[in-house]
Amino acid sequence: MTGTDGVPAFPTSLGTSTADEIRLLGEDLSADLMGKVGFGELAFWLVALRRPTPSETRVFEAVLVALADHGFTPTAIAARLTYLSAPDSLQGAIAAGLLGGGSRFLGVTEDCGGYLRDVLDRQEGPLPGDDAGWDALALAAVTRTREAGQYVPGLGHPVHKTRDPRTPVLIGIAEEEGLRGPHLRLFEAIGRVHEQVLGRRLPLNGAGVCGAALADLGLPVELLRGFALLARAAGLLGQIAEERRRPIGMDAYLTVDRNAVYTAPSADSGPDPSR
């Protein structure tokens, strides 16, 4: 854009600075925000362009805590092994871990939020007013998804086979704060009815419930993966700090490498890529 004086102008609602002042979100950074706004609250504000209420901040920060670390997941292993290979590149190690946030780990937060939003958008008329109505809506959605040969995001976990301990806690926090909205209610209903369609019971996982909670906060579902990555960045920094104190990267690498066994290609291994 061009200003009235012909000088290029680049509008932003985020941060600007002069030689004497930094402003962020329309506030004086040093006078109005530093020491007065928590990082989670600020992260919400930066995306929503409105300051969250204390209740919203509690739910939002509970999500960040829930997604920060989950042990030696692929994201943590990638970060540790990258740091082993390039200890001079802390940013590379963290980036390596973040790049693994996809449809199986972390990315489920966004996938679930988007799935729930799409189901709610398809609903004609008012939303259900009781559990029976939510169950009927969820049952129809799960049935459509199964018939399309797709998975319902947020169902199942590689470690927590019966119950993900994060799920009921986050739902409880949202209920306490008056923020248990339609996305969470639909997600809970999916947990109640999916066995009728899938023939087996799966837990509602933590990444999925985080997506539902974030969507109920009114945050754009297209950005929910970003919040998961924001949370995991803290966890990855912790993983790298521990790798420095008590390294396991070399052992992990050597365990795999020293136990690699050559196997001749089989007839069903696919075409030779060199041809």
Side-chain angles (χ1 to χ4, degrees), residues 245-260:
R245 293 191 305 268
R246 192 166 55 242
I248 58 94
M250 184 65 77
D251 289 341
Y253 151 58
L254 290 176
T255 297
V256 176
D257 185 69
R258 295 303 90 192
N259 289 283

Side-chain angles (χ1 to χ4, degrees), residues 16-76:
T16 59
S17 62
T18 66
D20 304 312
E21 183 186 52
I22 301 172
R23 299 194 67 82
L24 183 62
L25 297 162
E27 307 286 340
D28 185 308
L29 177 67
S30 56
D32 301 327
L33 300 180
M34 293 175 63
K36 300 175 183 177
V37 175
F39 180 70
E41 183 180 3
L42 180 65
F44 185 110
W45 196 348
L46 285 167
V47 174
L49 295 181
R50 66 175 180 85
R51 188 169 186 172
T53 66
S55 292
E56 289 173 327
T57 299
R58 184 179 179 222
V59 173
F60 182 72
E61 292 189 345
V63 167
L64 297 183
V65 171
L67 297 175
D69 187 80
H70 206 280
F72 288 125
T73 57
T75 59

Side-chain angles (χ1 to χ4, degrees), residues 196-222:
Q196 299 176 44
V197 180
L198 305 184
R200 57 177 178 148
R201 177 157 292 279
L202 297 169
L204 296 173
N205 63 50
V209 75
C210 286
L214 292 174
D216 274 344
L217 292 179
L219 295 166
V221 295
E222 297 83 5

Side-chain angles (χ1 to χ4, degrees), residues 15-191:
T16 59
S17 62
T18 66
D20 304 312
E21 183 186 52
I22 301 172
R23 299 194 67 82
L24 183 62
L25 297 162
E27 307 286 340
D28 185 308
L29 177 67
S30 56
D32 301 327
L33 300 180
M34 293 175 63
K36 300 175 183 177
V37 175
F39 180 70
E41 183 180 3
L42 180 65
F44 185 110
W45 196 348
L46 285 167
V47 174
L49 295 181
R50 66 175 180 85
R51 188 169 186 172
T53 66
S55 292
E56 289 173 327
T57 299
R58 184 179 179 222
V59 173
F60 182 72
E61 292 189 345
V63 167
L64 297 183
V65 171
L67 297 175
D69 187 80
H70 206 280
F72 288 125
T73 57
T75 59
I77 294 170
R80 286 192 182 232
L81 293 184
T82 301
Y83 188 75
L84 169 68
S85 181
D88 52 307
S89 179
L90 176 67
Q91 70 274 22
I94 293 177
L98 295 179
L99 288 172
S103 59
R104 291 188 176 178
F105 290 87
L106 291 179
V108 176
T109 299
E110 180 175 307
D111 297 342
C112 185
Y115 177 84
L116 298 172
R117 182 198 61 182
D118 290 345
V119 173
L120 293 172
D121 285 348
R122 290 180 58 150
Q123 171 70 3
E124 297 181 359
L127 294 175
D130 55 23
D131 283 351
W134 284 111
D135 287 356
L137 181 60
L139 185 61
V142 174
T143 300
R144 285 195 305 270
T145 304
R146 179 63 180 270
E147 290 174 349
Q150 300 171 340
Y151 294 102
V152 177
L155 278 179
H157 194 280
V159 176
H160 309 301
K161 298 298 185 181
T162 302
R163 183 181 75 112
D164 190 317
R166 299 169 293 180
T167 300
V169 172
L170 186 55
I171 292 172
I173 292 172
E175 175 68 20
E176 291 170 6
E177 300 299 337
L179 293 169
R180 183 167 157 245
H183 297 85
L184 277 170
R185 292 184 184 278
L186 175 58
F187 191 57
E188 293 175 75
I190 288 172

